[in-house]
Amino acid sequence: MQAAGILVLSFVAGAIPFSYVAGRRARGVDLRRVGTGTVSGTALYRVAGFGPMAAAGILDVAKGAAGPALAMAAGHPAVAALAGGVAVAGHNWSPFLRGAGGRGISPALGALLVVAWPGTVMLLAGMILGKAFGETAVGALVAEVALTPVLGVTHGAVGALAGVAIAIPMLVKRVVGNAPAPPPRRRTYLNRILYDRDERIVSQAP
């Protein structure tokens, strides 16, 4: 498969909003209307619990690994590094959600597992340590910033490229956040019923 095809496939796979789908199916909730509007495993857990979060998380990790795995199988490690970043970008700004999305952690874990596995360990360690000290976001941020230099040491130029490609969309998403969720396209009677149901469920969520 050509490099361009792998990158396009990586973006499309990354853009599939598994957490959003799980939230809709499990509780009928639009995660774009919950909290900060981030379509993430954390938001999904708050409204639907562990089971849907775990299922969506596994799929998010797998979609991040898909493109890089194809590129590595074709003997293109540099393309694999870029494919990981493209998958994270698709996840963070999904065209299926009109530009909304998550923060890229899960697809980044999958991509790094294929291209430069120490990066996966770093991200997990950052989140675990951050959680232990009550600062999960800070722990993840430190790990993201450290990806490029550490992977440059462990995996050379390809590792550094993977670190840059994957860290940039995650860092940018932290800065710009999510746009407000768009209103339903048509405020029909049915849409009003569904919208009101979402609001009731979100207000009752733990």
Side-chain angles (χ1 to χ4, degrees):
M1 182 179 290
Q2 296 294 324
I6 292 175
L7 294 179
V8 170
L9 185 147
S10 296
F11 181 83
V12 173
I16 300 172
F18 291 114
S19 290
Y20 172 85
V21 173
R24 276 294 195 186
R25 290 185 64 85
R27 293 293 301 275
V29 173
D30 184 343
L31 293 182
R32 294 173 296 177
R33 303 184 187 280
V34 177
T36 62
T38 302
V39 183
S40 65
T42 300
L44 179 60
Y45 176 76
R46 287 171 180 163
V47 301
F50 178 79
M53 181 203 70
I58 291 170
L59 292 171
D60 280 343
V61 171
K63 75 184 186 183
L70 283 175
M72 292 296 281
H76 301 301
V79 176
L82 293 174
V86 169
V88 171
H91 176 85
N92 288 3
W93 296 280
S94 172
F96 302 120
L97 298 178
R98 304 187 203 177
R103 290 197 173 127
I105 294 293
S106 294
L109 292 174
L112 290 168
L113 193 60
V114 173
V115 181
W117 65 264
T120 299
V121 176
M122 286 177 58
L123 288 180
L124 288 173
M127 290 188 295
I128 292 171
L129 290 174
K131 181 72 172 177
F133 289 97
E135 294 290 348
T136 305
V138 174
L141 176 62
V142 171
E144 290 163 15
V145 171
L147 276 178
T148 301
V150 172
L151 295 183
V153 172
T154 62
H155 285 70
V158 170
L161 179 60
V164 169
I166 290 171
I168 285 178
M170 289 196 290
L171 294 171
V172 170
K173 188 56 179 279
R174 288 183 179 277
V175 173
V176 303
N178 277 298
R185 292 182 180 179
R186 295 181 60 193
R187 294 294 288 173
T188 63
Y189 178 70
L190 178 59
N191 278 335
R192 287 196 297 271
I193 292 175
L194 292 175
Y195 179 78
D196 292 343
R197 182 188 64 178
D198 285 354
E199 294 299 312
R200 288 196 302 272
I201 293 173
V202 171
S203 66
Q204 296 168 5

